[in-house]
Amino acid sequence: MKFLITGGAGFIGSAVIRHIIAHTSDTVINVDKLSYAGNLESLTLVESSSRYHFEQVDICDRKELDRLFAFYQPDIVMHLAAESHVDRSIDGPADFIQTNIIGTYNLLEASRAYWNGLDLERKEQFRFHHISTDEVYGDLENPSDLFIESTSYKPSSPYSASKASSDHLVRAWQRTYNLPTLVTNCSNNYGPYHFPEKLIPHIILNALQGKPLPIYGNGQQIRDWLYVEDHARALYLVATQSKAGETYNIGGHNEKTNLDVVHMLCDLLEELVPENQYSKQHAGGGGFRSLISFVQDRPGHDLRYAIDASKIEKELGWRPKETFNSGIRKTVSWYLENEAWWSRVLDGSYSLTRLGSGV
Ligand code: NAD
């Protein structure tokens, strides 16, 4: 099968591509405009595969999308391209409206035009899989509540509102035009190749450098964490095994407060890099926890998200392989072993890959 994957140079998209190239015989066309979040250095493991192709294209460019559909003739579209950082959406929502809503609309229309021209069998097999977030559901009030697939939408931030809009567009294209679509809503991901502006890599890298570890408000916000490779496996299953029109929630059964996550990271770092000058175990070190600094809360910050993932488990047999303890240990070890990747993100030189080579 041929997958056209948007946003494949991002955190989750690159994990999906690494998964497909390593574990299947399918072909991938990675369509990514390479925003600040796109990093081709996350794809070095697959770039020499004859089953991997890269196209630097903005999903808002309809003409280019039409060219890609005509040339590659994909069987499945997996749509991950998005502006994804809540703080950036508060500072400047325009890019979120453009990529997440207008871009999704363009991709739906390009897919529909292409799909209309397919023969009956390929038409039935075609899937447009939209990758979304649990943030569209907003805050959970009662401690025992969980998001299910029919929970109503109540987005709080410009980011989640733009993702909610795109989910609605996708479902409308299914209902109105019969375009075979799928939607998945997933909880917070973590793991290798995560851009350092996000909580977990930000804390690991700041701690290693003895910088403050900022925590919003009192740190009691609860997120349901999922290891990114478990998400990639789930997405492949959904894209290839499910009925058109389906929605699946994907989550890790790992609810943690942000403060607990930061404490765990500090303790793991104490264990794994005792020689670091900021570690408690190093003479004179105050311990990584002493770097924690509580900062003013994010406006509109949701308190708790938690996913009921029983539908995907029952229907497709998916369960996460990693617990939070095993996944966070793998993640911290990956950052310790891959300074070459993250130091090029921190000093900005990763972006030369896209500016210098013209790819
Ligand atoms: P990311 O920010 O790491 O990557 C986004 C990618 O999209 C980047 O490679 C970027 O260059 C590309 N992109 C942005 N605008 C584009 C455009 N106009 N045209 C083409 N490419 C463009 O994001 P991520 O964390 O990998 O998230 C991927 C998807 O999964 C997003 O849709 C996000 O909403 C969703 N999601 C993320 C999480 C999470 O925890 N990270 C959880 C649930 C759902």
Side-chain angles (χ1 to χ4, degrees):
M1 271 184 305
K2 260 191 222 160
F3 285 76
L4 188 153
I5 298 186
T6 71
F11 169 49
I12 301 173
S14 68
V16 173
I17 294 176
R18 292 190 302 272
H19 174 82
I20 293 179
I21 297 297
H23 299 291
T24 76
S25 54
D26 300 330
T27 295
V28 170
I29 302 103
N30 175 12
V31 178
D32 197 301
K33 86 166 181 187
L34 299 181
S35 72
Y36 78 93
N39 187 350
L40 292 178
E41 293 175 22
S42 306
L43 291 157
T44 46
L45 289 174
V46 302
E47 67 190 4
S48 60
S49 167
S50 59
R51 293 182 287 116
Y52 171 72
H53 307 273
F54 173 64
E55 293 276 355
Q56 186 170 357
V57 165
D58 186 330
I59 56 164
C60 297
D61 185 340
R62 174 66 197 276
K63 248 175 128 171
E64 275 292 273
L65 290 181
D66 288 342
R67 175 182 71 78
L68 297 180
F69 276 100
F71 183 70
Y72 289 105
Q73 301 276 314
D75 302 292
I76 294 182
V77 171
M78 291 176 89
H79 175 34
L80 296 101
E83 289 294 335
S84 69
H85 191 43
V86 175
D87 290 344
R88 286 181 189 257
S89 82
I90 294 168
D91 294 341
D95 286 348
F96 289 72
I97 305 301
Q98 188 61 24
T99 286
N100 299 0
I101 304 178
I102 308 291
T104 300
Y105 158 72
N106 262 310
L107 189 66
L108 281 166
E109 279 296 79
S111 302
R112 184 165 75 92
Y114 163 74
W115 176 73
N116 272 330
L118 294 176
D119 64 39
L120 206 60
E121 195 183 332
R122 290 200 66 208
K123 238 177 153 167
E124 269 173 22
Q125 281 168 358
F126 181 83
R127 293 288 183 272
F128 181 106
H129 178 181
H130 177 62
I131 284 76
S132 192
T133 166
D134 62 353
E135 300 196 25
V136 296
Y137 300 124
D139 244 351
L140 280 169
E141 275 156 28
N142 301 318
S144 58
D145 285 352
L146 297 171
F147 297 132
I148 56 171
E149 284 76 2
S150 56
T151 300
S152 22
Y153 278 26
K154 198 168 50 93
S156 306
S157 70
Y159 163 67
S160 52
S162 68
K163 290 297 291 186
S165 308
S166 61
D167 292 12
H168 290 319
L169 290 176
V170 172
R171 293 198 176 99
W173 260 240
Q174 164 85 44
R175 175 88 192 249
T176 305
Y177 304 112
N178 289 325
L179 183 73
T181 66
L182 303 163
V183 178
T184 47
N185 296 89
C186 186
S187 57
N188 277 45
N189 284 216
Y190 68 99
Y193 302 99
H194 206 178
F195 198 81
E197 69 185 353
K198 302 283 172 77
L199 178 71
I200 289 179
H202 188 60
I203 295 296
I204 297 171
L205 301 186
N206 272 19
L208 291 174
Q209 299 168 88
K211 293 185 179 166
L213 310 181
I215 297 186
Y216 281 130
N218 59 8
Q220 291 309 306
Q221 307 86 355
I222 295 174
R223 300 292 178 262
D224 178 359
W225 293 93
L226 179 66
Y227 193 63
V228 67
E229 291 173 12
D230 277 324
H231 190 194
R233 232 172 7 93
L235 293 178
Y236 185 81
L237 260 184
V238 170
T240 55
Q241 308 288 322
S242 36
K243 269 201 334 269
E246 281 293 354
T247 293
Y248 291 98
N249 279 352
I250 306 173
H253 310 289
N254 283 311
E255 283 185 55
K256 301 266 176 258
T257 67
N258 285 348
L259 188 59
D260 283 344
V261 169
V262 174
H263 282 159
M264 279 178 83
L265 289 171
C266 289
D267 296 350
L268 259 176
L269 286 168
E270 302 276 350
E271 178 195 327
L272 296 174
V273 282
E275 71 284 5
N276 182 287
Q277 59 178 308
Y278 304 103
S279 164
K280 212 167 22 212
Q281 295 163 56
H282 187 277
F288 292 114
R289 285 192 188 205
S290 67
L291 299 169
I292 290 175
S293 131
F294 292 93
V295 299
Q296 190 178 11
D297 207 354
R298 169 194 277 167
H301 209 169
D302 288 332
L303 194 54
R304 177 171 169 261
Y305 303 138
I307 286 261
D308 176 351
S310 55
K311 180 176 170 189
I312 186 170
E313 182 177 346
K314 210 160 74 204
E315 293 186 8
L316 302 179
W318 174 88
R319 266 193 80 79
K321 286 185 179 162
E322 302 296 341
T323 62
F324 193 69
N325 282 344
S326 66
I328 202 70
R329 183 172 281 274
K330 279 189 175 179
T331 304
V332 173
S333 302
W334 187 88
Y335 279 91
L336 293 175
E337 286 155 16
N338 287 278
E339 185 169 346
W341 182 89
W342 56 259
S343 60
R344 286 172 59 73
V345 177
L346 291 186
D347 70 17
S349 51
Y350 77 106
S351 63
L352 298 175
T353 323
R354 66 181 198 256
L355 299 174
S357 67
V359 286

